């Protein structure tokens, strides 16, 4: 059997390694087939992946939390001055601190725990402000004036209370040791109340913002 040379066209017997006319090799080895091109993703999928942003970690950003809590506290002080009870004022402060923090950090994931911590921070700041005001007030008053002012407040409270132990509190308040004890206890209770009410407000704010986001 013969076949034409692929180069010059001359007849060459099968099995002959080279053409007798042009010396072109007649035994050719087939190379590997070209690989199929990799499938490309649709343009819509590429845009979807490009626009995907990983969720932010659930951590409290202190540089944004402190201004948010401070502004919320100023609003709560105004509400308390116009007649709102202190507990409701701190509740509103905790709620507002979460709202302001969410606006300053739009991509932050504000969980209930973060909201409670932000509210607690607002409560601590509120207690610090109240303690500073009390310290300034006592700095310009004598011990007797301070005692009489608090005694008048307790007497007014006892007049509207049916607690039978209020008379014992009044008697304890008239002693130096009792006066010191009641003042320290009042400060501790104020701190606890501020933190509880503001933390509750922060938790409610985080819960409502989470529902709105969904």
């Amino acid at each position: 059997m013969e076949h034409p040379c692929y180069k010059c066209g001359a007849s060459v017997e099968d099995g002959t390694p080279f053409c007798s006319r042009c010396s072109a090799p007649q035994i050719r080895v087939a190379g590997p087939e070209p690989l199929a091109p990799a499938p490309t993703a649709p343009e819509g999928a590429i845009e979807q992946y490009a626009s995907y942003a990983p969720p932010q970690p659930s951590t409290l950003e202190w540089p944004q939390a402190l201004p948010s809590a401070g502004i919320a506290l100023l609003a709560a002080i105004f509400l308390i001055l116009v007649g709102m009870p202190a507990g409701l004022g701190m509740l509103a402060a905790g709620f507002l601190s979460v709202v302001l923090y969410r606006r300053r950090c739009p991509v932050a994931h504000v969980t209930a725990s973060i909201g409670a911590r932000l509210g607690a921070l607002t409560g601590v700041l509120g207690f610090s402000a109240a303690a500073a005001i009390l310290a300034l007030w006592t700095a310009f008053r004598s011990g007797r004036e301070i005692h009489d002012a608090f005694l008048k407040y307790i007497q007014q409270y006892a007049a509207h209370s049916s607690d039978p132990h209020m008379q014992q509190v009044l008697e304890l308040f008239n002693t130096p040791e009792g006066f010191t004890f009641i003042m320290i206890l009042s400060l501790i209770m104020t701190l606890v109340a501020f933190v509880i009410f503001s933390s509750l407000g922060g938790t409610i704010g985080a819960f409502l913002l989470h529902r709105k986001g969904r």
Side-chain angles (χ1 to χ4, degrees):
M1 298 291 292
E2 295 182 350
H3 65 273
C5 175
Y6 74 92
K7 189 173 182 179
C8 65
S11 297
V12 181
E13 288 190 21
D14 292 342
T16 303
F18 299 97
C19 176
S20 58
R21 177 182 297 179
C22 64
S23 300
Q26 302 300 304
I27 300 177
R28 304 175 64 186
V29 179
E33 296 182 358
L35 297 176
T40 58
E43 294 182 0
I46 295 177
E47 294 178 357
Q48 180 180 2
Y49 295 146
S51 61
Y52 171 75
Q56 296 295 320
S58 299
T59 56
L60 187 62
E61 299 290 337
W62 291 100
Q64 308 299 332
L66 287 173
S68 302
I71 297 174
L73 179 61
L74 292 177
I77 292 175
F78 174 78
L79 293 176
I80 294 173
L81 291 177
V82 298
M84 176 178 285
L88 292 180
M90 295 310 301
L91 183 73
F95 180 88
L96 183 59
S97 65
V98 173
V99 174
L100 295 176
Y101 178 78
R102 188 66 174 80
R103 290 185 177 181
R104 297 175 71 94
C105 300
V107 297
H109 181 47
V110 183
T111 62
S113 175
I114 295 296
R117 291 171 59 188
L118 189 56
L121 173 63
T122 308
V124 171
L125 292 179
F127 173 78
S128 301
I133 294 173
L134 179 62
L136 289 175
W137 181 76
T138 56
F140 298 97
R141 296 289 187 277
S142 64
R144 173 53 59 181
E145 289 177 337
I146 297 172
H147 179 273
D148 293 343
F150 280 98
L151 179 61
K152 182 179 180 181
Y153 174 79
I154 294 177
Q155 289 175 344
Q156 291 177 353
Y157 178 79
H160 298 85
S161 176
S162 58
D163 190 353
H165 297 92
M166 285 304 302
Q167 186 61 35
Q168 298 178 1
V169 173
L170 289 173
E171 294 177 358
L172 180 64
F173 190 80
N174 286 321
T175 63
E177 297 80 6
F179 175 74
T180 303
F181 173 76
I182 291 177
M183 290 297 297
I184 295 175
L185 182 62
S186 299
L187 290 174
I188 295 175
M189 292 178 63
T190 301
L191 172 61
V192 172
F194 274 29
V195 171
I196 290 177
F197 278 101
S198 57
S199 299
L200 181 60
T203 304
I204 295 174
F207 176 74
L208 294 179
L209 287 177
H210 178 69
R211 290 191 60 184
K212 182 179 179 181
R214 292 179 59 184

